Amino acid sequence: MKKVQTGQIVEFYSNSCLVKTKFGEFSCLAIKNVVVGDFVELEIIQDSKKLNGKILSIQERKTKLSKSDGSKTKLFAANISHVGIIVTPKPKTSSEFIDKWILKSKLSNIEPFIINNKIDIESDNEYKIKLGIYKSLGITNIDCSAKHGDNLKELIDFLKQKSVLFVGNSGAGKSTLSSKLIGKKLKTNSLSNEQGVHTTSISSLYELQNNTKIIDSPGMRDIEIKNYSKDHIISGFEEILEASKGCKFTNCNHINNKGCLVIEGLANGQINQSRYNNFIKFRDNG
Ligand SMILES: Nc1nc2c(ncn2[C@@H]2O[C@H](COP(=O)(O)OP(=O)(O)O)[C@@H](O)[C@H]2O)c(=O)[nH]1
Ligand SMILES: [Mg+2]
Ligand SMILES: [Zn+2]
């Protein structure tokens, strides 16, 4: 084994992390800005009894996801390829939640898709229409029941070669789904350091077969979109962006201008009202 190896951060604690290499996992001190999912170069160091790693550098990230608490934006995961938005009839997932995550994913160069969970329980017509909107936008929709295991095979197939973060409201089934897919109880999320002190894991990455990776970051709750510039918001609404290209005035606000093709699309049903409402809301009120 060479002294310098490449590995991926699979567990992240407040000041240390676990790096997975082809020779096993090595505990390392975290360096500035490193997050779960990062690929790093590490030097293997023979400690008194065991091997440890020292992170030398972080490889360029394919994607980055960050969260903001108040005024600060903090990176929390790297190299995620897909965000699975878990949508449920109960608790009812709002279209605002879905549109926020589609926006956030698109602006992060990550592919969003929808997991329609809890297909074993009743859902009303409004719910079916809501799902239909996203299907018609070309967003992948996978129906399943995490609890009963229905249709999980389709989801597992879809997840081949992908690194995914599941998002959903509290009670949507994130934990149920993750543990079904991982096939065992989730890690206890604690690890004892040299002094025998338990530290709590902030986020973890689980590797499944077929090179599927599941990122679990419990701290990931409310996402903020306030930090995005108004001009960027439309990128999360592809159908509105497309229509807007035909607006008569280049600085059209898509609200009350003559010759606005977004308003026209809304009137003739090509643009969905709730998508439009969320677009205006995110753009004008953050
Ligand atoms: N009926 C039904 N209940 C489910 C399903 N998936 C999860 N649940 C239940 O929903 C509740 C919340 O699930 P949990 O995984 O803790 O949600 P989380 O808050 O997103 O992590 C639990 O009581 C689960 O048993 C499902 O497919 N069908
Ligand atoms: Mg949970
Ligand atoms: Zn317009």
Side-chain angles (χ1 to χ4, degrees):
M1 177 173 67
K2 285 212 189 105
K3 233 180 136 196
V4 174
Q5 292 291 333
T6 302
Q8 188 172 27
I9 312 274
V10 293
E11 287 279 320
F12 184 80
Y13 308 90
S14 52
N15 56 7
S16 67
C17 54
L18 208 57
V19 181
K20 185 175 179 183
T21 72
K22 56 182 171 186
F23 298 102
E25 295 180 346
F26 298 93
S27 173
C28 302
L29 272 183
I31 62 168
K32 197 165 184 273
N33 291 331
V34 80
V35 289
V36 77
D38 262 327
F39 287 100
V40 296
E41 309 301 332
L42 76 163
E43 186 184 340
I44 312 297
I45 296 165
Q46 175 76 59
D47 214 350
S48 50
K49 289 185 222 72
K50 59 188 183 90
L51 291 172
N52 277 314
K54 178 171 184 253
I55 298 174
L56 303 173
S57 61
I58 306 171
Q59 290 185 3
E60 197 184 333
R61 296 166 175 132
K62 286 206 190 95
T63 66
K64 297 184 251 192
L65 261 188
S66 51
K67 61 183 162 195
S68 20
D69 43 8
S71 55
K72 274 187 299 182
T73 307
K74 204 169 176 301
L75 186 67
F76 78 91
N79 301 315
I80 286 174
S81 67
H82 288 69
V83 164
I85 307 167
I86 304 182
V87 179
T88 52
K90 216 177 159 188
K92 193 159 140 192
T93 310
S94 69
S95 66
E96 187 174 335
F97 183 90
I98 302 171
D99 287 335
K100 243 187 196 183
W101 271 105
I102 291 174
L103 169 66
K104 172 103 178 160
S105 305
K106 297 256 158 144
L107 289 179
S108 312
N109 270 319
I110 295 172
E111 195 64 29
F113 69 102
I114 287 177
I115 299 169
N116 170 30
N117 189 32
K118 309 199 184 183
I119 53 169
D120 56 296
I121 63 171
E122 278 298 319
S123 61
D124 58 22
N125 223 22
E126 186 198 336
Y127 182 77
K128 288 172 188 131
I129 290 169
K130 180 155 51 187
L131 288 176
I133 295 169
Y134 298 98
K135 285 182 199 167
S136 71
L137 292 173
I139 294 172
T140 299
N141 178 99
I142 298 173
D143 301 327
C144 72
S145 167
K147 188 173 175 180
H148 301 286
D150 303 343
N151 218 24
L152 285 185
K153 196 178 167 305
E154 188 188 338
L155 180 60
I156 290 167
D157 280 347
F158 177 77
L159 291 178
K160 278 180 188 166
Q161 315 291 333
K162 298 183 170 95
S163 294
V164 67
L165 173 77
F166 296 128
V167 298
N169 295 130
S170 171
K174 295 178 293 294
S175 303
T176 309
L177 185 63
S178 300
S179 39
K180 270 275 159 64
L181 293 179
I182 294 160
K184 57 173 185 197
K185 281 254 184 300
L186 296 179
K187 288 175 202 164
T188 54
N189 280 347
S190 74
L191 157 133
S192 41
N193 63 17
E194 286 87 290
Q195 289 81 41
V197 179
H198 283 267
T199 45
T200 304
S201 164
I202 294 174
S203 39
S204 320
L205 181 151
Y206 301 90
E207 235 179 303
L208 276 53
Q209 56 186 4
N210 299 317
N211 201 23
T212 294
K213 293 171 182 176
I214 295 179
I215 291 88
D216 183 31
S217 182
M220 189 60 215
R221 283 227 183 85
D222 249 346
I223 50 161
E224 290 273 352
I225 48 174
K226 284 197 177 71
N227 302 337
Y228 295 129
S229 85
K230 280 177 187 278
D231 300 343
H232 281 148
I233 302 294
I234 201 165
S235 312
F237 297 83
E238 262 172 67
E239 73 283 29
I240 298 178
L241 177 65
E242 268 315 304
S244 75
K245 291 175 182 164
C247 292
K248 192 168 170 194
F249 302 105
T250 44
N251 63 348
C252 184
N253 64 5
H254 318 306
I255 294 175
N256 50 19
N257 282 345
K258 283 221 174 77
C260 174
L261 290 202
V262 173
I263 296 298
E264 201 178 301
L266 198 57
N268 67 25
Q270 273 170 354
I271 291 172
N272 172 268
Q273 185 72 50
S274 90
R275 288 275 295 165
Y276 175 81
N277 293 350
N278 285 333
F279 162 61
I280 296 295
K281 186 170 175 187
F282 296 169
R283 188 192 64 178
D284 297 349
N285 309 315

